[in-house]
Amino acid sequence: MSDRDSTLSQAADAVEEASNHKVLDVLARLGFAVMAMLHVIIGAIAVAVAFGQPGEAEPTGAIEQLAANPWGPAVMWACVAACGGLSLWQASEATLRMRGRPRKERVSKLISSGFLAIAYGSVGLSFAGFALGLRGDSSESTRDFSASLMANPLGLWVLVALGLTIIGIGIYFVFKGARRGFKEELFYFDGTRRGRLIDTLGVTGHIAKGIALNLTGLLFVIAAAKHRPEESTGLDGSLKALRDHPFGPSLLVAIGAGFIAYGIFALIRSRFGRM
């Protein structure tokens, strides 16, 4: 090994050691707890929407609920730190901690944890926006984003690719739930009665979230196929679209309950899960 390679390896070791620091571990666990709380709130809003109540059943709608209290700004900045820590932890999972693993495993982890790092970071930015007083309607923002894409020559195909990517992530969540792929993340209660209950929460929550993501991705694809960007309304719009169908309200309640189950599972994972 050359001196240059040795120096790079030592630098990577130092960064990896820093990523294992207790502070980042605590922030990442708090980040999981924040995401759990958001899922519970989104699920509750979805159930309320099924019964004709107002609300935005997506992350910014849930963040708005958290911001609407006297401690709102402090809560928002605390959530920014937690989501930032979780994003950094996922980034280290995708890169530093995979050194020396087989190439196929490294690529798979880079895709999965890399996407999660971006997703958690974007949620953190949403919290920061609310802390700074920058609020907006999520469905309207999604429509504007879709319209701006369609105004470009390749925008239509980018929108289709985005929709298919979201559908793919949704399918991943459905299979992860059905096959109990989350067991490697939370095995603390294996073999106990409590563990069986947690498994049920994990299966129900992952499948419900996967279905919701599939609906969201489908709306992007339909909007691109019809050249109607106003039909791409994100998670909130996809769930509200169910309300007008014969069995829509019942399905919406089921999805909302699934989101709540996922949130409870994620909260348990934040405390007892593998880090």
PDB file of all heavy atoms in Angstrom, residues 68-83:
ATOM      1  N   ALA A  68     -47.650  24.128  15.980  1.00  0.00           N
ATOM      2  CA  ALA A  68     -48.766  24.919  16.518  1.00  0.00           C
ATOM      3  C   ALA A  68     -48.872  24.791  18.028  1.00  0.00           C
ATOM      4  O   ALA A  68     -49.886  24.349  18.572  1.00  0.00           O
ATOM      5  CB  ALA A  68     -50.078  24.492  15.851  1.00  0.00           C
ATOM      6  N   ASN A  69     -47.815  25.152  18.723  1.00  0.00           N
ATOM      7  CA  ASN A  69     -47.840  25.179  20.188  1.00  0.00           C
ATOM      8  C   ASN A  69     -46.834  26.214  20.668  1.00  0.00           C
ATOM      9  O   ASN A  69     -45.969  26.654  19.897  1.00  0.00           O
ATOM     10  CB  ASN A  69     -47.531  23.792  20.768  1.00  0.00           C
ATOM     11  CG  ASN A  69     -46.115  23.345  20.488  1.00  0.00           C
ATOM     12  OD1 ASN A  69     -45.187  23.787  21.163  1.00  0.00           O
ATOM     13  ND2 ASN A  69     -45.924  22.481  19.489  1.00  0.00           N
ATOM     14  N   PRO A  70     -46.931  26.654  21.923  1.00  0.00           N
ATOM     15  CA  PRO A  70     -46.050  27.721  22.413  1.00  0.00           C
ATOM     16  C   PRO A  70     -44.562  27.405  22.272  1.00  0.00           C
ATOM     17  O   PRO A  70     -43.735  28.315  22.168  1.00  0.00           O
ATOM     18  CB  PRO A  70     -46.445  27.846  23.893  1.00  0.00           C
ATOM     19  CG  PRO A  70     -47.854  27.341  23.953  1.00  0.00           C
ATOM     20  CD  PRO A  70     -47.922  26.248  22.932  1.00  0.00           C
ATOM     21  N   TRP A  71     -44.212  26.118  22.304  1.00  0.00           N
ATOM     22  CA  TRP A  71     -42.818  25.716  22.202  1.00  0.00           C
ATOM     23  C   TRP A  71     -42.426  25.375  20.762  1.00  0.00           C
ATOM     24  O   TRP A  71     -41.388  24.770  20.520  1.00  0.00           O
ATOM     25  CB  TRP A  71     -42.556  24.505  23.096  1.00  0.00           C
ATOM     26  CG  TRP A  71     -42.763  24.791  24.547  1.00  0.00           C
ATOM     27  CD1 TRP A  71     -43.894  24.579  25.282  1.00  0.00           C
ATOM     28  CD2 TRP A  71     -41.825  25.384  25.444  1.00  0.00           C
ATOM     29  NE1 TRP A  71     -43.727  24.981  26.572  1.00  0.00           N
ATOM     30  CE2 TRP A  71     -42.455  25.489  26.704  1.00  0.00           C
ATOM     31  CE3 TRP A  71     -40.515  25.836  25.314  1.00  0.00           C
ATOM     32  CZ2 TRP A  71     -41.825  26.028  27.817  1.00  0.00           C
ATOM     33  CZ3 TRP A  71     -39.872  26.374  26.418  1.00  0.00           C
ATOM     34  CH2 TRP A  71     -40.524  26.465  27.650  1.00  0.00           C
ATOM     35  N   GLY A  72     -43.274  25.778  19.819  1.00  0.00           N
ATOM     36  CA  GLY A  72     -43.080  25.406  18.420  1.00  0.00           C
ATOM     37  C   GLY A  72     -41.687  25.622  17.870  1.00  0.00           C
ATOM     38  O   GLY A  72     -41.046  24.676  17.387  1.00  0.00           O
ATOM     39  N   PRO A  73     -41.137  26.853  17.922  1.00  0.00           N
ATOM     40  CA  PRO A  73     -39.799  27.090  17.353  1.00  0.00           C
ATOM     41  C   PRO A  73     -38.712  26.219  17.974  1.00  0.00           C
ATOM     42  O   PRO A  73     -37.859  25.681  17.261  1.00  0.00           O
ATOM     43  CB  PRO A  73     -39.556  28.581  17.650  1.00  0.00           C
ATOM     44  CG  PRO A  73     -40.926  29.165  17.741  1.00  0.00           C
ATOM     45  CD  PRO A  73     -41.776  28.099  18.365  1.00  0.00           C
ATOM     46  N   ALA A  74     -38.739  26.070  19.304  1.00  0.00           N
ATOM     47  CA  ALA A  74     -37.730  25.244  19.971  1.00  0.00           C
ATOM     48  C   ALA A  74     -37.850  23.786  19.530  1.00  0.00           C
ATOM     49  O   ALA A  74     -36.844  23.105  19.280  1.00  0.00           O
ATOM     50  CB  ALA A  74     -37.879  25.349  21.491  1.00  0.00           C
ATOM     51  N   VAL A  75     -39.100  23.309  19.420  1.00  0.00           N
ATOM     52  CA  VAL A  75     -39.336  21.935  18.966  1.00  0.00           C
ATOM     53  C   VAL A  75     -38.830  21.760  17.539  1.00  0.00           C
ATOM     54  O   VAL A  75     -38.204  20.748  17.199  1.00  0.00           O
ATOM     55  CB  VAL A  75     -40.835  21.582  19.064  1.00  0.00           C
ATOM     56  CG1 VAL A  75     -41.114  20.232  18.396  1.00  0.00           C
ATOM     57  CG2 VAL A  75     -41.285  21.549  20.520  1.00  0.00           C
ATOM     58  N   MET A  76     -39.085  22.765  16.677  1.00  0.00           N
ATOM     59  CA  MET A  76     -38.660  22.681  15.286  1.00  0.00           C
ATOM     60  C   MET A  76     -37.140  22.557  15.184  1.00  0.00           C
ATOM     61  O   MET A  76     -36.623  21.705  14.459  1.00  0.00           O
ATOM     62  CB  MET A  76     -39.124  23.927  14.509  1.00  0.00           C
ATOM     63  CG  MET A  76     -40.632  24.075  14.347  1.00  0.00           C
ATOM     64  SD  MET A  76     -41.412  22.735  13.405  1.00  0.00           S
ATOM     65  CE  MET A  76     -42.055  21.718  14.739  1.00  0.00           C
ATOM     66  N   TRP A  77     -36.403  23.398  15.927  1.00  0.00           N
ATOM     67  CA  TRP A  77     -34.943  23.352  15.836  1.00  0.00           C
ATOM     68  C   TRP A  77     -34.383  22.065  16.435  1.00  0.00           C
ATOM     69  O   TRP A  77     -33.383  21.522  15.946  1.00  0.00           O
ATOM     70  CB  TRP A  77     -34.322  24.571  16.517  1.00  0.00           C
ATOM     71  CG  TRP A  77     -34.502  25.831  15.729  1.00  0.00           C
ATOM     72  CD1 TRP A  77     -35.173  26.950  16.104  1.00  0.00           C
ATOM     73  CD2 TRP A  77     -34.005  26.103  14.402  1.00  0.00           C
ATOM     74  NE1 TRP A  77     -35.145  27.897  15.112  1.00  0.00           N
ATOM     75  CE2 TRP A  77     -34.421  27.408  14.053  1.00  0.00           C
ATOM     76  CE3 TRP A  77     -33.241  25.371  13.491  1.00  0.00           C
ATOM     77  CZ2 TRP A  77     -34.106  27.993  12.828  1.00  0.00           C
ATOM     78  CZ3 TRP A  77     -32.933  25.947  12.267  1.00  0.00           C
ATOM     79  CH2 TRP A  77     -33.362  27.242  11.941  1.00  0.00           C
ATOM     80  N   ALA A  78     -35.021  21.558  17.480  1.00  0.00           N
ATOM     81  CA  ALA A  78     -34.587  20.272  18.043  1.00  0.00           C
ATOM     82  C   ALA A  78     -34.773  19.159  17.019  1.00  0.00           C
ATOM     83  O   ALA A  78     -33.914  18.270  16.886  1.00  0.00           O
ATOM     84  CB  ALA A  78     -35.382  19.962  19.315  1.00  0.00           C
ATOM     85  N   CYS A  79     -35.881  19.211  16.282  1.00  0.00           N
ATOM     86  CA  CYS A  79     -36.143  18.200  15.242  1.00  0.00           C
ATOM     87  C   CYS A  79     -35.175  18.346  14.073  1.00  0.00           C
ATOM     88  O   CYS A  79     -34.807  17.350  13.443  1.00  0.00           O
ATOM     89  CB  CYS A  79     -37.591  18.308  14.759  1.00  0.00           C
ATOM     90  SG  CYS A  79     -38.816  17.777  15.980  1.00  0.00           S
ATOM     91  N   VAL A  80     -34.774  19.589  13.772  1.00  0.00           N
ATOM     92  CA  VAL A  80     -33.756  19.803  12.723  1.00  0.00           C
ATOM     93  C   VAL A  80     -32.465  19.078  13.102  1.00  0.00           C
ATOM     94  O   VAL A  80     -31.865  18.363  12.285  1.00  0.00           O
ATOM     95  CB  VAL A  80     -33.473  21.313  12.534  1.00  0.00           C
ATOM     96  CG1 VAL A  80     -32.241  21.515  11.642  1.00  0.00           C
ATOM     97  CG2 VAL A  80     -34.669  22.010  11.909  1.00  0.00           C
ATOM     98  N   ALA A  81     -32.023  19.249  14.359  1.00  0.00           N
ATOM     99  CA  ALA A  81     -30.795  18.598  14.826  1.00  0.00           C
ATOM    100  C   ALA A  81     -30.934  17.079  14.792  1.00  0.00           C
ATOM    101  O   ALA A  81     -30.013  16.364  14.361  1.00  0.00           O
ATOM    102  CB  ALA A  81     -30.463  19.066  16.243  1.00  0.00           C
ATOM    103  N   ALA A  82     -32.097  16.573  15.233  1.00  0.00           N
ATOM    104  CA  ALA A  82     -32.313  15.125  15.260  1.00  0.00           C
ATOM    105  C   ALA A  82     -32.319  14.534  13.856  1.00  0.00           C
ATOM    106  O   ALA A  82     -31.670  13.513  13.596  1.00  0.00           O
ATOM    107  CB  ALA A  82     -33.634  14.819  15.971  1.00  0.00           C
ATOM    108  N   CYS A  83     -33.032  15.175  12.932  1.00  0.00           N
ATOM    109  CA  CYS A  83     -33.087  14.668  11.552  1.00  0.00           C
ATOM    110  C   CYS A  83     -31.732  14.798  10.866  1.00  0.00           C
ATOM    111  O   CYS A  83     -31.337  13.927  10.080  1.00  0.00           O
ATOM    112  CB  CYS A  83     -34.154  15.419  10.755  1.00  0.00           C
ATOM    113  SG  CYS A  83     -35.844  15.043  11.252  1.00  0.00           S
TER     114      CYS A  83
END
